[in-house]
DNA sequence: ACCACTGAGTTCGGATTCCGAACTCAGTAT
DNA sequence: ATACTGAGTTCGGAATCCGAACTCAGTGGT
């Protein structure tokens, strides 16, 4: 393994996705985004809906706010109260969420899926694919290859 | 022992995504899948590539094998040695991974050199789409709709 | 005035999980 | 005989997670 390490000059720590997963890669964050997409905004509602422990919810929302996925908005003055709304960046996580839901439907053994995702105009159950612009064709994961981006080293 | 209580505490729990995130929703699992897609297969290579602690890697790989995302394959007899390969289900996580990578590229503040995913035959950077079989067309997340599967409640 | 209630948290102790470092074990190479 | 390899396991301490109970400002009912 040492030889392999020497030959591999590309270090894979410190990449963008690792940074992202340090924010979003836990048991709750994606579920919080999903709840946000379903219209949930208030602390106690997140708490009841997910069954997350309150101290953990506090910490998680703070982190998601810090990284721009939720924003903390005052919605009432008299007793000052805040709620949490998805930002544009938070909404932009929906493709990832959809992909995970799709995977869950197909591969999760623990059944009882809640919803099936369909193509809205026609109601057909959707499939997922990668699209190659230059080939003008869809393809599956077997035709995916990783290429190191050229930036410094 | 503690999980029992979590399982009994079924409110909105029990949906497929929650089950999935209990398997894959941690800081390492998605990164392990990504490493698998990059061709990494051996214990020490995962360890070295991700900087994950060995006991955690052991537990994580065991869980991913149990849930059918990796398989443990003997690749040598003399000293019997095993490696970990992505299954079909594991490969099928790549759309979710791609969605996260693309989100990272766009919204993550920390942006270092990463791996760009391309269409292997032609080298073009891939895009992501949903595919409707009956319409024979691709579409984006805005045209996705959720339909409740038949279920009590 | 008194009391219950609401929403958004905080505090508490205990259980679980994470970590790096060092160790094991069978087999190989020098 | 010694060193090394690959795939783990064992160890203790640090960090995180959990439910339950508490706080705090304001509101509404009697």
């Amino acid at each position: 393994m040492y030889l392999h390490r020497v030959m591999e000059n590309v270090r894979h720590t410190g990449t963008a996705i690792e940074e992202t997963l340090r924010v979003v890669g836990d048991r709750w964050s994606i579920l919080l985004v999903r709840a946000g997409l379903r219209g949930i905004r208030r602390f106690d509602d997140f708490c009841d809906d997910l069954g997350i422990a309150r101290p953990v919810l506090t910490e998680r929302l703070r982190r998601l706010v810090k990284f721009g996925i939720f924003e903390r908005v005052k919605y009432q003055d008299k007793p000052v109260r805040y709620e949490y709304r998805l930002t544009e960046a938070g909404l932009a996580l929906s493709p990832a969420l959809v992909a995970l839901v799709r995977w869950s439907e197909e591969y999760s053994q623990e059944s009882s899926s809640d919803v099936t995702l369909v193509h809205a105009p026609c109601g057909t159950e959707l499939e997922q694919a990668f699209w190659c612009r230059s080939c003008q064709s869809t393809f599956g994961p077997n035709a995916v290859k990783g290429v190191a981006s050229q930036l410094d080293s």
Side-chain angles (χ1 to χ4, degrees), chain A:
Chain A
M1 97 190 182
Y2 284 150
L3 290 178
H4 292 158
R5 266 195 58 186
V6 171
M7 295 172 79
E8 294 245 356
N9 52 4
V10 180
R11 202 81 185 115
H12 291 289
T13 55
T15 60
I17 181 121
E18 279 178 345
E19 165 76 8
T20 295
L21 285 173
R22 214 165 291 128
V23 177
V24 137
D26 67 294
R27 190 171 140 218
W28 297 115
S29 295
I30 297 285
L31 291 176
L32 287 172
V33 172
R34 173 166 164 266
L37 287 169
R38 294 211 319 279
I40 288 173
R41 291 186 171 154
R42 317 248 274 245
F43 190 93
D44 281 9
D45 290 340
F46 283 113
C47 210
D48 292 343
D49 188 69
L50 299 182
I52 183 175
R54 290 166 160 276
V56 180
L57 178 58
T58 300
E59 193 274 334
R60 211 51 29 113
L61 285 173
R62 242 193 268 279
R63 193 166 73 192
L64 292 171
V65 166
K66 178 178 165 193
F67 284 88
I69 291 167
F70 278 95
E71 57 184 344
R72 189 162 176 267
V73 180
K74 179 160 61 171
Y75 70 95
Q76 177 178 298
D77 264 318
K78 319 290 298 198
V80 61
R81 293 279 146 82
Y82 297 91
E83 65 180 11
Y84 295 89
R85 295 189 196 163
L86 285 170
T87 62
E88 187 200 346
L91 285 172
L93 278 168
S94 59
L97 184 55
V98 167
L100 281 172
V101 170
R102 278 282 303 151
W103 189 89
S104 303
E105 286 168 4
E106 195 150 350
Y107 294 100
S108 177
Q109 29 231 26
E110 205 71 24
S111 58
S112 77
S113 70
D114 46 353
V115 293
T116 302
L117 298 173
V118 301
H119 183 210
C122 73
T124 304
E125 188 169 353
L126 62 83
E127 291 169 37
Q128 213 162 14
F130 301 117
W131 173 253
C132 180
R133 173 168 301 190
S134 61
C135 299
Q136 289 284 306
S137 65
T138 60
F139 56 97
N142 288 331
V144 174
K145 189 177 65 172
V147 170
S149 333
Q150 306 291 56
L151 282 177
D152 68 335
S153 116

